[in-house]
Amino acid sequence: MFIDTQEGPTATELSRSPEAGRLLAAEQTGTPGAATVARPPIVTRPEWGANEAWRWWAPEYRVTHHLAVHHTGATTGGADPAAAVRSVYHYHSVVLDWGDVGYHYLVDWTGTIYEGRYGGPNVVGGHIRGHNPGVEGHCRAG
């Protein structure tokens, strides 16, 4: 399958964004229910160019008990890691018909973390939906 992932911000544009490096609102230290250790910066869905027209899945929530880390086994994603994230999103939401990206977060080859599954902390991921509630999934996206 061929996907044109060039529509959206580039990694360079993301790094220049005034919002780059900020935490998701629900994950900021001091927010009720947030971890006591500051979390790393996360590129939000609007920042990486998520096409919300592809998202039909309604969020479900469970308390997170475990962490799962996945590797795409793909190349590094080239010069534009945000395009690799958009590619994973299209594949999961449209091709696999999961209604959204399956993983909670995606990490590119530079270590940048991208918000994945819509819904924030404790949302059930699409890759385990119906099987292992309470497992939070993360993916290295190229």
Side-chain angles (χ1 to χ4, degrees), residues 51 54-56 86-102:
N51 180 346
W54 296 342
R55 183 177 50 82
W56 56 260
R86 289 190 294 274
S87 176
V88 169
Y89 177 47
H90 182 273
Y91 181 68
H92 286 188
S93 62
V94 177
V95 176
L96 295 180
D97 198 30
W98 288 353
D100 196 359
V101 82

Side-chain angles (χ1 to χ4, degrees), residues 39-64:
R39 296 193 182 200
I42 299 169
V43 177
T44 66
R45 293 170 63 96
E47 290 170 339
W48 60 256
N51 180 346
E52 298 299 353
W54 296 342
R55 183 177 50 82
W56 56 260
W57 179 78
E60 298 174 28
Y61 295 90
R62 300 286 187 278
V63 174
T64 301

Side-chain angles (χ1 to χ4, degrees), residues 11-142:
T12 303
E13 292 167 339
L14 287 172
S15 67
R16 291 183 194 150
S17 167
E19 306 245 336
R22 70 177 180 81
L23 299 176
L24 297 175
E27 297 182 332
Q28 293 180 16
T29 302
T31 302
T36 56
V37 176
R39 296 193 182 200
I42 299 169
V43 177
T44 66
R45 293 170 63 96
E47 290 170 339
W48 60 256
N51 180 346
E52 298 299 353
W54 296 342
R55 183 177 50 82
W56 56 260
W57 179 78
E60 298 174 28
Y61 295 90
R62 300 286 187 278
V63 174
T64 301
H65 298 285
H66 297 83
L67 174 68
V69 179
H70 303 268
H71 187 287
T72 61
T75 64
T76 63
D80 188 2
V85 170
R86 289 190 294 274
S87 176
V88 169
Y89 177 47
H90 182 273
Y91 181 68
H92 286 188
S93 62
V94 177
V95 176
L96 295 180
D97 198 30
W98 288 353
D100 196 359
V101 82
Y103 307 118
H104 297 86
Y105 304 99
L106 297 98
V107 182
D108 71 21
W109 64 275
T110 69
T112 301
I113 303 170
Y114 299 82
E115 178 183 14
R117 193 84 167 166
Y118 177 86
N122 295 317
V123 71
V124 175
H127 63 299
I128 55 155
R129 188 172 177 217
H131 297 286
N132 291 312
V135 176
E136 191 165 308
H138 304 273
C139 173
R140 181 183 169 274

